[in-house]
């Protein structure tokens, strides 16, 4: 059994990939599923859609690889992290649709916790800020809004889990209710220093302990799938949230290494080793992975708009027909123009965390056209990454001393123009790997490590392969001028905040 099946359960689709022992891909399948938007700022998934698409893609990937359950050494799961599901312990039926990480319905709960002065305590224990993004307040909302749910939860009749936990429970036929430390660290309920659920936080956010899963290492034999799912039982041996899985897939095992994933948004994680670094710049302190009972921490910065800025050009403005046109357009833009897009379509993420402000364009002239807009959209992602890197350096001085190379993945990294501009503005090398499916690869590695298919982290890191390194070649004067222009643009957007 030298194959590993990775489940990559994402926000808009489920994907399954079969990896060989040499990390090459033997089979892949992907299936989109519906999104539900029942009210402004609300985002939901039907848990049955998540489950059915996951099983369908697993079966399809195995079929494409011409493999059976007996050929698979282990399954690894990676998932959209903060998405929250509450289900009946006896039937497995969810009592409400999954509340997705993007959902903002618990803003009032979060505001109340902040007004009561609880944020310093919560941040000190969890490494997180109080925000609807995280799972804890979503659980409380479900318990308060589904009739009888809170009483049933106290009696132990209901279970809570992030998507990994829900899939594991279903895969094992309800025998295993567990998650890993990376997903637990995104709930507002988990003490990342002590490595366990925190009674004070549970009381504060009003989540009964009886609902909670066991928390295990990211690489661990969680349980076996029921045989009738894949015509044979397969061990589930790895779990990690999607951004942490990408960090592992990029082999960022050494403190000071940083990866940045460019999808709809952008998530950058900096490995800080065995010591959690408290951020003074609104970054998150999170668990990067936990192996053999030992936690490794990271600083994380979240950018809300990356690839979605390109989608806006295509679908909102109609200035491009395909995302791939953006780089060539940007390359043809007028160098005499300095157009800045601050893409705060849903507010600004780290290091600002201001959900109220909205986007703006600066520096428009009569000659500004599609090429300049494409330039500004792609460059905005690079500027935001610079802001994250700057905040990380301020929080962790060792990062400044290290000659940091940024490892990148995600759809936007296909644009050579964008990656070159990223290297130019960071004044640091940007490395694009051969294997772009780093999230699924990270899940596969964790499972394969436990199953004996893949080697220890240091050896696995030796298998990481560079496809292209982008080296900075912009003059210091140009870089400084452009970064100052970006800083002025962001200042202008932040000044538009009308909240009293």
């Amino acid at each position: 059994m030298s194959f590993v099946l990775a489940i990559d359960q994402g926000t808009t689709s489920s994907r399954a990939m079969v990896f060989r022992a040499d990390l090459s891909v033997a089979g892949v399948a992907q299936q989109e599923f519906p999104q539900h938007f029942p009210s402004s700022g609300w985002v939901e998934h039907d848990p049955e859609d998540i489950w059915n698409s996951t099983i369908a893609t697993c079966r399809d990937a195995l079929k494409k690889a011409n493999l059976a359950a007996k050929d698979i050494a282990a399954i690894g799961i990676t998932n959209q992290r903060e998405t929250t599901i509450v289900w009946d312990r006896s039937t497995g039926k969810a009592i409400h649709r999954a509340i997705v990480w993007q959902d903002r319905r618990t803003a009032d709960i979060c505001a109340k916790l902040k007004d009561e002065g609880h944020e310093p305590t919560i941040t000190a224990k969890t490494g997180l800020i109080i925000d609807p993004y995280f799972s804890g307040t979503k659980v409380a909302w479900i318990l308060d809004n589904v009739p009888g749910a809170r009483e049933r939860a106290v009696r132990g009749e209901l279970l809570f889990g992030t998507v990994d936990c829900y899939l594991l429970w279903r895969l094992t036929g309800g025998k295993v209710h567990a998650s890993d430390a990376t997903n637990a660290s995104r709930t507002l309920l988990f003490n990342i220093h002590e490595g366990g659920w925190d009674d004070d936080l549970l009381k504060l956010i009003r989540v009964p302990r009886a609902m909670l899963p066991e928390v295990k290492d990211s690489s661990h034999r969680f349980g076996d799938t029921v045989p009738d799912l894949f015509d044979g039982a397969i061990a589930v041996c790895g779990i990690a949230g999607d951004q942490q899985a990408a960090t592992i897939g990029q082999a960022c095992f050494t403190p000071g290494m940083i990866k940045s994933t460019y999808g709809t948004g952008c998530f950058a994680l900096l490995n800080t080793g065995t010591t959690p670094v408290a951020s003074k710049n609104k970054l998150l302190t999170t668990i990067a992975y936990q192996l053999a009972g030992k936690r490794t921490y990271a600083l994380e910065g979240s950018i809300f708009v990356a690839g979605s800025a390109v989608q806006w050009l295509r679908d909102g403005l109609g200035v491009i027909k395909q995302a791939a046109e953006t780089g060539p357009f940007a390359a043809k833009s007028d160098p005499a123009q300095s157009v800045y897009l601050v893409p705060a379509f849903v507010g600004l993420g780290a290091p600002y965390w201001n959900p109220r402000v909205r986007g703006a364009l600066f520096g428009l002239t009569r000659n500004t056209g599609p090429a300049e807009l494409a330039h500004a959209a792609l460059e905005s992602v690079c500027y935001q990454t610079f802001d994250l890197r700057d905040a990380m350096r301020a929080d962790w001085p060792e990062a400044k001393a290290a000659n940091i190379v940024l490892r990148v993945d995600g759809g936007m990294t296909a644009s050579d123009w964008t990656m070159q501009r990223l290297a130019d503005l960071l004044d640091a090398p940007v490395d694009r790997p051969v294997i772009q499916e780093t999230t699924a690869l990270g899940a596969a590695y964790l499972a394969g490590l436990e199953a004996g298919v893949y080697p220890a982290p240091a050896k696995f890191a030796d298998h990481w392969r560079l496809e292209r390194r982008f080296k900075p070649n912009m003059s210091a004067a140009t870089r400084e001028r452009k970064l100052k222009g970006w800083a002025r643009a962001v200042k202008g957007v932040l000044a538009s905040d009308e909240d009293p």
Side-chain angles (χ1 to χ4, degrees), residues 154-169:
V154 172
R155 291 197 300 267
E157 297 173 13
L158 301 181
L159 300 177
F160 150 67
T162 41
V163 170
D164 62 297
C165 179
Y166 175 73
L167 291 177
L168 177 66
W169 196 87

Side-chain angles (χ1 to χ4, degrees), residues 250-259 269-271 404-405 407:
Q250 288 276 35
C252 291
F253 295 117
T254 305
M257 295 186 75
I258 182 172
K259 77 90 199 174
L269 268 75
L270 169 69
N271 184 327
I404 289 181
V405 176
R407 289 187 171 180

Side-chain angles (χ1 to χ4, degrees), residues 105-439:
R105 77 185 65 187
T106 65
D108 289 346
I109 300 175
C110 292
K112 185 171 184 289
L113 288 168
K114 286 184 180 181
D115 290 345
E116 292 172 352
H118 296 303
E119 188 159 49
T121 298
I122 290 175
T123 298
K125 291 187 175 193
T126 68
L128 309 176
I129 61 172
I130 296 178
D131 193 87
Y133 180 30
F134 305 108
S135 310
T137 57
K138 298 181 188 343
V139 182
W141 188 94
I142 291 174
L143 296 184
D144 288 339
N145 286 274
V146 175
R150 184 165 290 282
E151 293 78 10
R152 295 185 65 203
V154 172
R155 291 197 300 267
E157 297 173 13
L158 301 181
L159 300 177
F160 150 67
T162 41
V163 170
D164 62 297
C165 179
Y166 175 73
L167 291 177
L168 177 66
W169 196 87
R170 295 284 295 261
L171 286 166
T172 60
K175 290 180 181 176
V176 182
H177 184 221
S179 185
D180 91 301
T182 68
N183 281 291
S185 74
R186 312 295 295 189
T187 61
L188 285 178
L189 307 172
F190 190 78
N191 190 313
I192 63 171
H193 309 283
E194 297 177 0
W197 302 115
D198 189 286
D199 286 326
D200 292 338
L201 297 177
L202 295 177
K203 183 178 179 181
L204 190 62
I205 300 177
R206 301 178 307 116
V207 175
R209 182 178 272 274
M211 302 179 72
L212 301 176
E214 284 188 78
V215 179
K216 307 285 190 182
D217 286 348
S218 305
S219 181
H220 175 84
R221 183 155 186 160
F222 289 88
D224 295 343
T225 66
V226 292
D228 60 352
L229 286 174
F230 306 116
D231 295 324
I234 306 174
V236 180
C237 292
I239 291 177
D242 53 8
Q243 300 309 319
Q244 284 93 337
T247 303
I248 293 162
Q250 288 276 35
C252 291
F253 295 117
T254 305
M257 295 186 75
I258 182 172
K259 77 90 199 174
S260 194
T261 299
Y262 295 93
T264 303
C266 164
F267 296 86
L269 268 75
L270 169 69
N271 184 327
T272 62
T274 56
T275 304
V277 175
S279 176
K280 297 176 182 176
N281 295 280
K282 297 186 180 179
L283 301 178
L284 306 177
T285 306
T286 197
I287 295 175
Y289 49 87
Q290 182 173 305
L291 300 175
K294 183 179 177 182
R295 290 181 293 280
T296 295
Y297 297 92
L299 280 171
E300 176 177 326
S302 306
I303 294 170
F304 295 154
V305 174
S308 51
V310 175
Q311 293 171 337
W312 173 66
L313 293 180
R314 183 191 66 196
D315 303 334
L317 298 186
V319 299
I320 58 170
K321 292 180 179 178
Q322 298 177 32
E325 297 174 9
T326 322
F329 257 127
K332 293 187 290 187
S333 64
D334 179 4
Q337 294 191 51
S338 295
V339 180
Y340 293 91
L341 167 65
V342 183
F345 303 140
V346 289
L348 284 172
Y352 307 103
W353 281 107
N354 188 323
R356 297 177 301 275
V357 296
R358 291 296 176 259
L361 276 162
F362 295 86
L364 299 178
T365 73
R366 281 291 302 272
N367 290 327
T368 300
E372 287 71 36
L373 294 178
H375 183 129
L378 294 181
E379 216 169 41
S380 73
V381 178
C382 305
Y383 288 128
Q384 290 178 97
T385 305
F386 175 89
D387 288 345
L388 290 186
R389 201 273 309 267
D390 226 29
M392 287 174 172
R393 283 182 164 182
D395 280 338
W396 197 55
E398 288 93 329
K400 200 165 188 176
N403 182 22
I404 289 181
V405 176
L406 181 67
R407 289 187 171 180
V408 296
D409 54 78
M412 288 194 80
T413 63
S415 168
D416 289 353
W417 189 93
T418 308
M419 294 301 99
Q420 183 58 55
R421 185 50 53 98
L422 182 60
D424 288 341
L425 291 173
L426 291 179
D427 194 22
V430 170
D431 283 0
R432 186 169 64 192
V434 170
I435 298 178
Q436 280 283 299
E437 298 85 1
T438 55
T439 305

